[in-house]
Amino acid sequence: MTEGCYRKEISAGLEVEIVLKKDQRTGILTKGTVKDILTNSSYHPHGIKVRLVDGQVGRVKKVKLSD
């Protein structure tokens, strides 16, 4: 797993763990598959914002590396 601060590490179809806006205080992570990348900049210190296939939006905290 890597942290999701760099846009180049994230692509559609990738399995990630994100923190939803409502969970930012608690740090609870939500697993899912990336549908869209919403952050335009190449780097964001709190994680790249993405939309999951199920419609949830949050910032990437962990990226599952392919085996």
Side-chain angles (χ1 to χ4, degrees):
M1 293 264 192
T2 62
E3 292 187 21
C5 294
Y6 292 94
R7 198 174 192 275
K8 66 182 178 185
E9 298 174 347
I10 298 164
S11 59
L14 205 61
E15 283 187 49
V16 295
E17 292 184 23
I18 65 169
V19 64
L20 302 172
K21 184 78 171 175
K22 68 180 180 73
D23 295 331
Q24 283 179 343
R25 286 183 182 267
T26 60
I28 295 171
L29 297 177
T30 303
K31 290 183 181 180
T33 304
V34 176
K35 180 180 180 187
D36 301 308
I37 300 173
L38 304 177
T39 300
N40 288 324
S41 61
S42 62
Y43 173 82
H44 193 286
H46 301 298
I48 300 297
K49 189 179 278 189
V50 298
R51 178 180 295 115
L52 300 180
V53 173
D54 63 7
Q56 297 185 92
V57 174
R59 294 199 179 272
V60 176
K61 293 299 175 185
K62 295 181 181 176
V63 178
K64 184 176 183 203
L65 298 174
S66 56
D67 297 328

